[in-house]
Amino acid sequence: MATTRIPATTYSAALIAVVTVALAVSYSPLASRIDNYATDWMFFMHKPAPWQPESLILGIDDESYVQMGGVGHLREALAQGLNLIAQAKPKVVAIDVILADKGDEAQNALLAAALRNIGTVILPCEMGANKWEDPIALFQKASKAIGHVHATADDDDGVTRHIPLERAVGRDRRWALGFEAYLKAHNVKQLEESPDDLDADGVRIPVARDPGGRSLRIRFLPPTEDGNSQIPQLTLKQLLDDPSKAAMAKDKVVFVGATSQSTARDRYMTPYTMRRPMPGVEIHAQLYETLASKRFLADYRMHNGILLGLFLAIAAGTTFYLLSGWPAYLCGLAIITIAHLVPHTFFLNGIVFPYFAPVIISWLSVSTAATFAHFLTRSQLQTSESEKTRYQEAIHFVAHEMRSPLTAIQGSSELMTRYNMNDDKRKQMAQMINSESKRLGKMIQTFLDVERLSDGQMQLKKEPFDMRAILESCLARVAPLAERKQIEVTSQPAPAVKLLGDHELMEYAVYNLLNNAIKYSPGETHVTVGASLDGSVLRLSVKDEGIGMDEKELKQIFTKFYRTKKAQASGEAGTGIGLSIVQQIVTHHGGKMEVTSRPGLGSCFTMILPCEEIETCNASS
């Protein structure tokens, strides 16, 4: 478990922010393109087991056009080819050659006869301006159905992954050519429609109805090692040159259409053919193979990917909230791994799952949670180091401040044991030991109180105390030190005011200022203590005639362990911590410290303290 709990509100807000950004990006064209690329990559990584195609492509390539004498003789050549195919008795022949124009009557008659000879023929149509461009009536009479020949390419990258099973002009709906071929080849008697799928005699086809109609994702057969299609192909020229090749069409669904590089209008990029576009007739053959093999790929909607991403985001947030260190990071790695593996798992089960949304949400969530935990750990380390430093400072300070009373106690006790003293002298020494030991105890308590105030572990006492009494007491305590150095201490009468706060802490602060002024001043100088009342503000100043300080020193005077030049020049022992404590005490009493000083002209430290509006304020004590 984490040693310090992450602040839940800030942590949750950060995770919500990154998840919101991830959700917004998930609906961008970039996300759609990455989803498509991920799916295409899975096509290559998880190729389906090969199956025996049920279809055959009779392609009209460039050589076929040359042999027939150009497009003008297409229907005549097509009739010849279909007559040969009819001898092999194919299941269905689906023609992807638009036959809407009138054409030559003689060629039309030949082609119509060939169509009737086939048996089950599906003819093409395409959408025109507000209507369907259907084959001429002569051809329609020979057909069993009419299917549209449209395919769609993705707007982002131009790759065809879906094909619309239905298209409509007004209320006139047409099924796709490959779908009509499937219905006829498998003798589907009943086709039931629901919002989520189609049911063809018990075969569920996962195509949900969208505003644009129903689109089925094509399960393309992987190309062979040499890059060719696994669906058998025969060109019209090859068939006419060698009629025996018509046997390839036996019991097959034959798709007839242009495969010429120069004349085919409908050529599409597919996940397997990024460099060599696939002709439309083969696209419809691939659609038929998807239906016939029942190897469907159902599209999960975007909201499923988002739900998974949100679940992973919650998991990431919970992980780094409850755990720390390597366990948390390992769980975060597992969350990201799950986000990457889920689409693969679904793909293997025939479902195309959104890739970008769960991945980006999991990455951002784990990164944010880990960053939050990292900086929290750094903060804990800094706090620990700070506490260690404070502890060392405390030891240093206590050792220094305890030196004077301990020296007095030690010296007095040695005198009492080494020399014979009369009762009065012995009593005086005992009183000194008692007084210094009390001062030592009070000093330790004062220091502990200041530390607790700084850490917020205790509240400042709110008791009225007499500032004049504190000043007089502190002046009496520093008088012996001033006499030894022949320093004259002049004090103005303090206003008779009472402040609200901690008497002992304030006494420590005042004594520290007086003691420093005398300790770090040269002998035979003057120290002036002034106190004045400005409205409800008490100003207590201590001015010496020492060497003074420059501006650089003034900026650091209240920094712990900083010793000024005058302190170093005086030769007095000191830690540089006393003034920092004085500032803390004054600040906790709602006041502030001011320092004025110039090199060679001494320094003046001033306490500015608010006089609380109590009954004795501005009155005689």
Side-chain angles (χ1 to χ4, degrees):
M1 298 291 288
T3 56
T4 300
R5 187 58 58 94
I6 296 176
T9 302
T10 307
Y11 183 63
S12 301
L15 285 175
I16 291 173
V18 298
V19 169
T20 302
V21 171
L23 289 176
V25 176
S26 296
Y27 284 97
S28 66
L30 173 63
S32 177
R33 181 168 293 190
I34 291 176
D35 279 339
N36 287 333
Y37 289 162
T39 304
D40 293 345
W41 183 77
M42 283 184 273
F43 261 99
F44 284 95
M45 289 294 297
H46 309 297
K47 294 179 180 179
W51 70 85
Q52 185 64 39
E54 296 182 10
S55 59
L56 170 71
I57 297 175
L58 178 59
I60 308 173
D61 62 355
D62 290 325
E63 293 181 352
S64 300
Y65 278 109
V66 171
Q67 179 165 324
M68 72 177 65
V71 179
H73 299 279
L74 174 60
R75 295 183 181 181
E76 179 183 355
L78 191 57
Q80 296 177 23
L82 291 177
N83 284 326
L84 293 174
I85 290 293
Q87 297 176 15
K89 299 189 181 302
K91 287 184 178 180
V92 176
V93 173
I95 299 177
D96 186 5
V97 177
I98 300 301
L99 302 171
D101 61 292
K102 292 182 179 180
D104 181 78
E105 292 185 1
Q107 291 192 43
N108 289 347
L110 291 174
L111 181 55
L115 295 175
R116 289 190 296 270
N117 193 29
I118 288 292
T120 304
V121 175
I122 301 171
L123 295 181
C125 66
E126 63 180 357
M127 297 178 68
N130 300 320
K131 67 175 185 178
W132 284 106
E133 293 186 3
D134 292 327
I136 61 176
L138 179 64
F139 299 146
Q140 288 191 47
K141 292 178 181 179
S143 67
K144 298 295 183 181
I146 297 177
H148 77 76
V149 294
H150 295 283
T152 55
D154 193 281
D155 293 335
D156 293 326
D157 53 17
V159 177
T160 296
R161 300 177 179 88
H162 297 79
I163 195 165
L165 285 190
E166 60 179 7
R167 278 287 181 89
V169 176
R171 294 186 177 181
D172 190 2
R173 183 180 68 173
R174 305 290 174 85
W175 295 110
L177 184 71
F179 187 47
E180 287 285 6
Y182 171 78
L183 296 177
K184 297 300 182 290
H186 290 260
N187 196 26
V188 174
K189 301 296 184 183
Q190 185 175 9
L191 182 64
E192 296 181 359
E193 302 183 44
S194 72
D196 297 323
D197 54 35
L198 296 175
D199 188 292
D201 283 351
V203 177
R204 179 182 173 274
I205 304 172
V207 279
R209 183 182 294 281
D210 291 324
R214 301 178 189 270
S215 292
L216 179 67
R217 186 179 284 271
I218 304 174
R219 170 77 84 163
F220 291 95
L221 280 88
T224 59
E225 293 183 359
D226 55 4
N228 294 321
S229 174
Q230 287 195 35
I231 300 178
Q233 298 198 24
L234 176 67
T235 67
L236 184 57
K237 179 181 183 303
Q238 292 172 339
L239 178 61
L240 297 178
D241 289 346
D242 185 2
S244 65
K245 290 185 180 293
M248 295 174 61
K250 181 176 177 58
D251 295 328
K252 294 283 188 179
V253 175
V254 181
F255 287 86
V256 183
T259 59
S260 168
Q261 293 283 346
S262 57
T263 61
R265 295 179 301 161
D266 53 345
R267 301 185 69 84
Y268 302 92
M269 307 295 288
T270 71
Y272 285 134
T273 59
M274 293 297 187
R275 297 181 180 179
R276 183 178 62 84
M278 182 178 289
V281 64
E282 186 174 348
I283 293 286
H284 281 272
Q286 294 278 3
L287 169 62
Y288 173 83
E289 290 297 336
T290 301
L291 293 164
S293 65
K294 301 179 181 59
R295 304 192 185 200
F296 302 115
L297 285 172
D299 281 289
Y300 255 33
R301 304 298 178 92
M302 173 63 76
H303 68 267
N304 292 291
I306 290 175
L307 289 176
L308 174 62
L310 293 177
F311 171 77
L312 295 177
I314 294 172
T318 304
T319 294
F320 284 91
Y321 187 75
L322 299 178
L323 302 177
S324 63
W326 284 111
Y329 288 104
L330 288 175
C331 289
L333 179 61
I335 290 170
I336 293 175
T337 303
I338 290 172
H340 284 275
L341 290 180
V342 165
H344 290 269
T345 303
F346 275 96
F347 188 88
L348 292 174
N349 288 275
I351 297 173
V352 176
F353 195 88
Y355 181 83
F356 184 84
V359 168
I360 190 65
I361 292 175
S362 64
W363 268 103
L364 289 179
S365 299
V366 169
S367 299
T368 300
T371 301
F372 218 100
H374 170 73
F375 282 107
L376 178 68
T377 302
R378 286 190 59 183
S379 176
Q380 292 175 350
L381 180 61
Q382 290 173 356
T383 301
S384 176
E385 291 295 327
S386 176
E387 291 176 351
K388 179 181 178 181
T389 302
R390 284 173 59 84
Y391 176 76
Q392 293 174 341
E393 291 173 358
I395 296 298
H396 195 175
F397 168 72
V398 170
H400 170 69
E401 294 296 323
M402 290 172 60
R403 186 178 302 159
S404 296
L406 285 175
T407 300
I409 293 172
Q410 182 181 7
S412 299
S413 62
E414 287 180 357
L415 288 174
M416 292 177 66
T417 56
R418 184 174 299 179
Y419 301 103
N420 292 322
M421 297 181 181
N422 56 38
D423 291 340
D424 291 339
K425 193 65 175 179
R426 186 178 295 277
K427 184 177 181 181
Q428 181 182 358
M429 289 292 181
Q431 289 176 346
M432 180 182 294
I433 292 173
N434 181 264
S435 174
E436 290 299 321
S437 63
K438 288 181 178 179
R439 187 160 75 90
L440 181 61
K442 185 181 295 185
M443 183 186 302
I444 294 173
Q445 186 61 46
T446 298
F447 171 74
L448 293 176
D449 289 346
V450 171
E451 289 298 302
R452 289 169 184 161
L453 280 173
S454 300
D455 291 339
Q457 297 177 4
M458 68 171 286
Q459 296 293 325
L460 184 71
K461 290 181 181 178
K462 294 292 184 179
E463 300 174 349
F465 60 86
D466 189 343
M467 194 63 179
R468 175 188 286 178
I470 288 178
L471 182 58
E472 291 175 352
S473 173
C474 292
L475 286 170
R477 287 173 57 189
V478 299
L481 177 60
E483 290 177 3
R484 285 198 298 269
K485 298 186 69 173
Q486 297 182 1
I487 293 176
E488 182 180 356
V489 179
T490 302
S491 174
Q492 300 175 355
V497 297
K498 287 193 175 182
L499 305 183
L500 200 61
D502 191 306
H503 173 276
E504 294 179 354
L505 292 180
M506 187 56 66
E507 183 177 352
Y508 174 87
V510 174
Y511 175 78
N512 187 277
L513 291 182
L514 292 171
N515 187 62
N516 283 349
I518 295 171
K519 184 192 298 184
Y520 298 120
S521 293
E524 301 180 356
T525 55
H526 195 83
V527 172
T528 303
V529 181
S532 62
L533 193 62
D534 183 9
S536 61
V537 175
L538 175 67
R539 299 177 66 89
L540 178 64
S541 61
V542 179
K543 187 178 185 305
D544 62 48
E545 295 179 352
I547 65 173
M549 296 175 286
D550 55 26
E551 292 184 3
K552 182 178 179 180
E553 287 187 300
L554 287 177
K555 293 179 180 179
Q556 304 180 68
I557 190 64
F558 294 110
T559 303
K560 284 185 179 180
F561 299 115
Y562 178 73
R563 300 191 67 215
T564 63
K565 294 178 181 177
K566 73 172 185 178
Q568 299 173 19
S570 68
E572 294 283 352
T575 62
I577 197 173
L579 285 175
S580 68
I581 295 179
V582 170
Q583 185 186 46
Q584 292 181 55
I585 293 173
V586 172
T587 300
H588 281 298
H589 280 80
K592 64 179 181 178
M593 291 293 302
E594 284 186 355
V595 185
T596 58
S597 183
R598 292 180 62 185
L601 298 179
S603 304
C604 181
F605 288 81
T606 302
M607 288 182 180
I608 302 176
L609 296 165
C611 177
E612 296 293 335
E613 295 182 0
I614 58 177
E615 294 180 359
T616 54
C617 186
N618 289 327
S620 176
S621 58

